[in-house]
Amino acid sequence: MTNIWRRFEPWAWVGLLALLAWATILVNTQSRRVLILHEGKADSAYSKAFNAGAKEIFQAHPQLKVRHQYLGFSQDSCRSIQSQLRAFDPDTVISEGSQALDCLRSPAGTTHGKGQYRLLNMPSPPLRDENPQAYESHVNAWQRTFTDLAQGATQKLLIFKAAQESNNFIWQAVAQAALVAGLDIDIQEFPSRQSLPLGLQATLSTLVQSIEPTLIYVSDLAGQVPDQDLNSTQNELFKALHSTSEAALLSSRLDSLQWGSDLALQQAPEQRASMLALAAWEQSTLAQIDTYEMAVGMREEFATSHPLFPKFYERNARAAGFFLSTP
């Protein structure tokens, strides 16, 4: 028996190695690579919440090989995306935000040398024609927030939008909600930094004093400077507005709390992530949203200075990790 085993032992090892190689090939052919391109930073509360929502789907489907790439709101980071796409060669790319989508549609992200990937993107807010129920939920959430902020008093909302956002649904949804809530609104196109002869703060001071708003909404791209990252430009803008006006500063981006926004309202990142991850697994289009979930974030100074604002906003912000305490 021993002699027989010795005679066939080399062939047994060959067969075992061939079986392992076949199993590896089978696993690789059934697996799919998914790259998630985040517009923010890895350590932000938003990114952590987004990844938690995606993780639930990906853990249930180990065939999906997932990699994360973070732009950090920097346009310079987009220039390296082509090498990342080429190295990972993803089957599907998930665009986590508008800046990530812009990067992927730029010359750096359109192709990656080995083939075309499938791009998944979820507009925020949802497009009214494609998902009217979700769009109305988004508008209703802002309307209720404006009503709770007004407390029956007359409020004037100043909306700052960027020139490239003329057809952007984000600030338009906010304007619609404000009108329904009974607010007076004034929409201003934020001037290019190159056309501010008096400087940023002096220009804002003149504009704000002429309108006298009680609330200021800053759109996602207002104040953006070409070839500069959004983190520094919006931080500068919020700082200048705080120095110029006592109006509460509002935003549709939860990350803006770090830059100086007092109150932010956006689709819950966990829901957004789980829907995108599920579409990546099913290789399908995004499903219609039956219940559109919104997340609120706020700064401690705002909560303290608005004692009549319903406390459930603060409780929700704390529970979700989007309550920024005073240092």
Side-chain angles (χ1 to χ4, degrees):
M1 180 67 69
T2 302
N3 292 334
I4 295 175
W5 167 248
R6 287 177 177 174
R7 181 182 302 175
F8 288 99
E9 181 180 9
W11 296 105
W13 283 110
V14 170
L16 179 60
L17 292 174
L19 182 63
L20 290 174
W22 176 81
T24 301
I25 293 173
L26 181 63
V27 170
N28 288 336
T29 55
Q30 290 183 342
S31 66
R32 298 197 305 274
R33 293 172 299 281
V34 179
L35 174 67
I36 302 178
L37 185 61
H38 302 262
E39 64 177 0
K41 299 180 178 181
D43 60 353
S44 74
Y46 184 91
S47 292
K48 291 177 180 178
F50 184 94
N51 290 340
K55 187 177 181 180
E56 293 184 6
I57 304 298
F58 292 138
Q59 282 188 332
H61 303 290
Q63 300 95 324
L64 297 178
K65 311 301 180 184
V66 184
R67 179 177 293 183
H68 299 263
Q69 181 74 15
Y70 297 87
L71 294 175
F73 297 108
S74 173
Q75 294 180 347
D76 289 336
S77 300
C78 183
R79 297 187 179 100
S80 64
I81 188 61
Q82 189 170 6
S83 59
Q84 292 292 330
L85 292 169
R86 185 180 296 110
F88 189 51
D89 191 25
D91 302 287
T92 301
V93 176
I94 292 176
S95 165
E96 177 264 307
S98 58
Q99 278 208 315
L101 182 61
D102 290 342
C103 175
L104 291 166
R105 287 175 173 172
S106 70
T110 50
T111 60
H112 55 87
K114 295 184 180 180
Q116 192 68 31
Y117 54 77
R118 177 169 168 262
L119 177 60
L120 285 176
N121 170 60
M122 189 173 183
S124 178
L127 300 180
R128 181 166 25 195
D129 295 338
E130 294 181 2
N131 202 334
Q133 183 176 347
Y135 178 84
E136 288 302 319
S137 296
H138 184 99
V139 172
N140 290 341
W142 271 105
Q143 178 189 338
R144 179 177 180 180
T145 302
F146 283 134
T147 302
D148 289 335
L149 281 169
Q151 295 292 320
T154 301
Q155 299 282 343
K156 189 166 188 178
L157 173 68
L158 170 59
I159 294 179
F160 273 127
K161 69 180 185 69
Q164 62 268 42
E165 292 179 304
S166 298
N167 297 317
N168 190 290
F169 288 98
I170 298 178
W171 70 263
Q172 290 181 1
V174 172
Q176 178 182 340
L179 287 173
V180 176
L183 274 64
D184 296 329
I185 67 171
D186 194 310
I187 302 173
Q188 293 288 329
E189 184 175 296
F190 194 86
S192 167
R193 294 295 183 94
Q194 287 79 7
S195 63
L196 298 180
L198 301 179
L200 175 63
Q201 189 157 333
T203 301
L204 289 176
S205 178
T206 301
L207 182 59
V208 169
Q209 288 178 12
S210 67
I211 298 174
E212 298 184 340
T214 53
L215 302 169
I216 298 176
Y217 171 81
V218 180
S219 72
D220 286 3
L221 299 180
Q224 186 175 16
V225 179
D227 300 324
Q228 291 188 26
D229 65 88
L230 194 63
N231 182 56
S232 61
T233 56
Q234 288 241 317
N235 184 67
E236 182 184 3
L237 175 57
F238 278 110
K239 183 178 179 180
L241 284 170
H242 273 300
S243 300
T244 300
S245 173
E246 295 183 356
L249 306 184
L250 315 178
S251 171
S252 294
R253 194 197 295 273
L254 290 165
D255 277 320
S256 68
L257 296 170
Q258 297 287 342
W259 305 330
S261 175
D262 294 309
L263 180 71
L265 202 61
Q266 188 178 5
Q267 183 189 10
E270 297 89 345
Q271 182 190 49
R272 183 180 182 84
S274 62
M275 293 186 67
L276 286 164
L278 191 61
W281 161 246
E282 296 178 344
Q283 294 184 297
S284 63
T285 56
L286 288 167
Q288 292 285 308
I289 303 176
D290 295 327
T291 303
Y292 189 80
E293 300 172 5
M294 294 287 281
V296 62
M298 68 172 63
R299 297 173 66 91
E300 185 177 9
E301 298 93 330
F302 173 82
T304 303
S305 60
H306 291 74
L308 298 181
F309 194 52
K311 291 297 181 183
F312 72 83
Y313 286 94
E314 180 180 336
R315 290 194 295 269
N316 288 346
R318 287 182 180 274
F322 297 117
F323 187 83
L324 196 63
S325 299
T326 303

